[in-house]
């Protein structure tokens, strides 16, 4: 990361390039030739193309933009990217939402390997990934990402880190340190990483810590949101041995986390489901469909707030070799094993326990050109033993096995490049209940072309036919899930989703004016969704059902370098998700948004100003409540300097400076857990 953006500043690269890392224009320094930013290879793509030449929409969060993002959780850190939102759940957990889809249709990878936690089960389960330790974060949007991971109809998020070194430091030692604090939640956070090596060996040590209290909420019944506190520590050690044609590495990492669960209401403890309707104490049979719309909930002290206590340990091994055999240009492999557990605590007693022992293996073989075609064959295998226990258990324990094979080929002809790919997956799930075991298979494929019709201009078109098998929660859930204020009912006879989509992307990647615009259409046969059957106040009865659906949307990101000091930009996205044949709108689809930004750079100073308008979401599913629109104002300033030969930066960033009361329609807690109010962050980072 240091090589990408620090060197770019020193060379006089413009502010847009500093903030966005890839696919933007460089500004000509007064006394030197124009320089371009280093192309960032997308590691989640087996073909190892860069973002500018991808046939599918790709975004990369890196450099200063990653540093200045809200790195409390992965989902929140990515919210500024086109088509990406966060499934917020207080400050302790949030999952990325891509084009209206989240887990299990959005797969999160840690440098190419599955995260192997419990985040795919529920939005209150935290991802075991710390953005403060990331070098960069790659986001692949749309069903074309299925070639890189099974079931990823929405997309893939790949968090690239340095836990396993892939090179020996040039000067023998390199690293970073980052300290920050924020006012809104009294956050104190820090991260540090050091890589040292000599000859053919390198070792990496890194760690992070974060401590935040309940965050402030404006114009609410309580000044701070009860249960929105979070504490976490992460540490890892890794080492690599380098060969003449590659490397082999190994790492161990551990995360410990403790965070609150906002919106928890024990008034729903005794709710039950009968004949697809709710039966709760004081349940009014004539309650209105739109449910309870006030927010006069009383605050509670931390002792009354449910708390999640999480511990994750994992081993990772990686290797990559060039020209390992005749006809093969690259062999790379990933292996990961994780031991995960989290307890949901109430009054210091365990109300629910989730454990996961899992492994994930992936092998990629890239072959030399055959009649002009180059490609990669991938083989993937995984296994998960997911155990649940406790009085609030709403899922049986399950044993899941997966296999996948994929082939991706590319061919270049003059200004055109073509890609074709296929993937086949097998999955079996065996529950410890009387419900039947699941066995299924899925076949996915895509065809794409990118036309570089002028210098720095390209037009990419992709067609995809993707399938996704149901997960354990959709098949077997049965019980009260108090974290999300729902009673969940699964269906063990759910079939495979079949998605057909088209994606069109227009890019301009160099010059003063750069942009990327994407439109997409996706039609899904037998789409699996959480259908709300009944609602009592903020408690809902949901059943996982299947019905045909369609998604259509637009994503836009434009930047213009006015002069060597000022750049301006406009961005926005909108997604519409509906059930076909008059079925109505799908639940928790993000509202449309439109934003503008101004960036400035003068000598060692930089400043940014951003205004985002999120529109009212009135396209709602049955029993949903409309979410009002809101305006966010964010601004910041940063200063670069040298300290003892190291590159350093002091930064000040303000979020929600207008202190607006805002609700996230995509959250299960949209009506009871507002977004944070005004917060000022001060930090310092040193790279050496």
């Amino acid at each position: 990361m240091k090589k990408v953006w620090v060197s770019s500043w020193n060379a006089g690269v413009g502010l847009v390039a500093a903030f966005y890392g890839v696919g933007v224009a460089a500004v000509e320094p007064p006394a030197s030739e124009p320089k371009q930013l280093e192309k960032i290879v997308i590691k989640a793509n087996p073909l190892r193309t860069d973002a500018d030449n991808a046939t599918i929409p790709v975004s990369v969060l890196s450099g200063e933009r990653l540093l200045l993002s809200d790195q409390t959780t992965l989902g929140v850190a990515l919210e500024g990217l086109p088509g990406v939102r966060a499934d917020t759940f207080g400050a302790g957990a949030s999952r990325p939402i891509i084009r209206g889809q989240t887990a299990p249709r959005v797969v999160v990878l840690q440098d190419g390997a599955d995260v192997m936690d419990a985040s795919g089960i529920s939005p209150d389960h935290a991802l075991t990934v710390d953005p403060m330790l990331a070098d960069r974060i790659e986001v692949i949007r749309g069903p074309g990402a299925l070639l890189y991971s099974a079931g990823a109809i929405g997309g893939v998020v790949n968090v690239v880190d340095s836990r396993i070194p892939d090179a020996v430091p040039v000067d023998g030692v390199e690293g970073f340190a980052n300290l920050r604090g924020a006012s809104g939640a009294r956050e104190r956070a820090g991260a540090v990483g050091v890589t040292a090596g000599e000859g053919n060996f390198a070792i990496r040590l890194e760690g992070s810590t974060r401590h935040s209290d309940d965050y402030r909420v404006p114009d609410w019944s309580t000044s701070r949101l009860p249960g929105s506190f979070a504490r976490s520590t992460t540490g890892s050690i890794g080492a690599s041995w380098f060969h003449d044609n590659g490397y082999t590495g190994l790492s161990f990492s551990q995360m410990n986390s403790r965070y609150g669960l906002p919106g928890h209401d024990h008034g729903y403890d005794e709710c039950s489901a009968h004949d697809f309707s709710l039966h709760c104490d004081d349940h009014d049979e004539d309650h209105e469909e739109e449910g309870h719309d006030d927010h006069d909930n009383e605050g509670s002290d931390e002792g009354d707030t449910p708390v999640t206590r999480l511990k994750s340990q994992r081993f990772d091994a990686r290797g990559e070799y060039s020209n390992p055999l005749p006809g093969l240009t690259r062999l790379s492999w990933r292996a990961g094993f994780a031991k995960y557990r989290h307890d949901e605590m109430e009054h210091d007693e365990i109300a629910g326990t989730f454990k996961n022992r899992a492994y994930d293996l992936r092998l990629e073989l890239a072959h030399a050109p055959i009649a002009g075609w180059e490609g990669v064959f991938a083989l993937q295998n995984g296994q998960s033993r997911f155990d649940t226990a406790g009085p609030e258990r709403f899922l049986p324990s399950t044993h899941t096995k997966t296999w996948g094979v994929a082939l991706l080929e590319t061919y270049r002809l003059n200004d055109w490049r073509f890609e074709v790919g296929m993937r086949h997956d097998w999955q079996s799930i065996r529950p410890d209940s009387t419900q039947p075991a699941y066995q299924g298979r899925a076949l996915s494929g895509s065809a794409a072309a990118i036309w570089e019709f002028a210098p720095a201009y390209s037009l990419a078109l992709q067609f995809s036919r993707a399938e996704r098998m149901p997960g354990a929660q959709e098949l077997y859930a049965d019980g009260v899930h108090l974290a999300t204020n729902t009673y969940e009912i699964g269906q063990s006879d759910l079939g495979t989703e079949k998605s057909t989509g088209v994606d069109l992307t227009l890019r301009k990647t160099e010059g003063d004016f750069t942009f990327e615009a994407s439109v997409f259409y996706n039609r899904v046969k037998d789409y699996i969704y959480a259908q709300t059957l009944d609602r009592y106040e903020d408690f809902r009865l949901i059943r996982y059902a299947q019905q045909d659906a369609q998604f259509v949307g637009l994503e836009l990101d434009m930047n213009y370098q006015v002069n060597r000091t000022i750049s301006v930009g406009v961005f926005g996205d909108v997604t519409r998700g509906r059930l076909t044949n008059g079925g109505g709108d799908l639940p928790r689809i993000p509202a449309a948004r439109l934003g503008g930004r101004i960036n400035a750079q003068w000598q060692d100073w930089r400043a940014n100003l951003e205004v985002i308008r999120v529109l009212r979401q009135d396209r709602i599913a049955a029993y949903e409540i409309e979410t009002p629109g809101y305006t966010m104002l964010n601004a910041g300033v940063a200063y670069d300097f040298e300290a003892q030969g190291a590159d350093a930066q002091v930064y000040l960033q303000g979020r929600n400076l207008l202190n607006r009361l805002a609700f996230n329609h995509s959250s299960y807690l949209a009506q009871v857990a507002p977004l944070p109010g005004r917060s000022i962050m001060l930090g310092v980072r040193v790279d050496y």
Side-chain angles (χ1 to χ4, degrees), residues 361-374:
L361 307 174
R362 183 181 180 92
L363 174 68
E364 292 181 6
L365 295 171
H367 68 77
I370 301 175
W373 287 89
E374 299 178 72

Side-chain angles (χ1 to χ4, degrees), residues 109 156 177 190 198 279 359 429 449 579 651:
L109 305 175
V156 165
E198 185 177 356
H279 290 257
Y359 71 78
I429 307 176
L579 297 168
Y651 53 93

Side-chain angles (χ1 to χ4, degrees), residues 445-462:
S446 69
I450 183 168
W451 177 33
E452 298 171 356
F453 58 90
Y457 284 88
S458 66
L459 182 67
L461 178 66
Q462 184 195 53

Side-chain angles (χ1 to χ4, degrees), residues 218-231:
D219 303 321
W220 194 246
S221 57
T222 56
S223 61
R224 295 182 180 273
L225 180 66
S228 59
F229 62 90
R231 327 266 192 263

Side-chain angles (χ1 to χ4, degrees), residues 225-379:
L225 180 66
S228 59
F229 62 90
R231 327 266 192 263
S232 68
T233 58
T234 302
S236 71
I237 179 171
S240 294
W241 179 54
F242 297 92
H243 324 275
D244 292 337
N245 64 336
Y247 75 95
T248 302
L250 179 69
S251 73
F252 170 77
S253 58
Q254 178 170 316
M255 170 182 278
N256 293 83
S257 180
R258 182 177 178 273
Y259 59 91
L261 300 176
H264 198 83
D265 192 335
H266 285 286
Y268 308 131
D269 285 1
E270 302 303 322
C271 288
S272 59
H274 298 287
D275 298 326
F276 302 123
S277 64
L278 280 174
H279 290 257
C280 304
D281 292 341
D282 301 324
H283 184 264
D284 182 1
E285 294 181 357
D286 297 324
H287 65 278
E288 297 181 358
E289 272 196 354
E290 65 270 24
H292 185 63
D293 193 22
D294 61 37
H295 53 262
D296 56 353
N297 52 311
E298 296 294 330
S300 60
D301 57 39
E302 187 172 317
D304 294 331
T305 302
V307 174
T308 291
R309 188 176 60 193
L310 180 155
K311 181 178 181 180
S312 174
Q313 297 176 313
R314 62 179 292 157
F315 290 92
D316 285 277
R318 302 174 195 159
E320 184 165 314
Y321 318 101
S322 58
N323 303 311
L325 294 170
L328 296 180
T329 59
R330 174 174 56 87
L331 182 154
S332 60
W333 57 276
R334 299 280 192 276
F337 170 78
K339 179 182 178 182
Y340 171 94
R341 171 177 178 152
H342 88 244
D343 297 317
E344 296 178 0
M345 313 290 296
E346 294 188 37
H347 305 290
D348 295 324
E349 295 183 357
I350 297 178
T353 295
F354 297 84
K355 299 179 183 178
N356 192 23
R357 287 180 176 265
Y359 71 78
D360 181 55
L361 307 174
R362 183 181 180 92
L363 174 68
E364 292 181 6
L365 295 171
H367 68 77
I370 301 175
W373 287 89
E374 299 178 72
V376 178
F377 171 78
L379 175 65

Side-chain angles (χ1 to χ4, degrees), residues 646-685:
D647 297 306
Q649 179 185 33
V650 175
Y651 53 93
L652 182 70
Q653 187 76 11
R655 300 190 182 92
N656 193 5
L657 292 176
L658 301 177
N659 205 32
R660 299 299 192 195
L661 178 65
F663 301 91
N664 179 11
H665 187 80
S666 302
S667 173
Y668 270 91
L669 305 181
Q671 305 301 316
V672 298
L675 297 174
R678 182 187 297 117
S679 181
I680 308 297
M681 178 183 67
L682 175 65
V684 59
R685 178 179 171 111

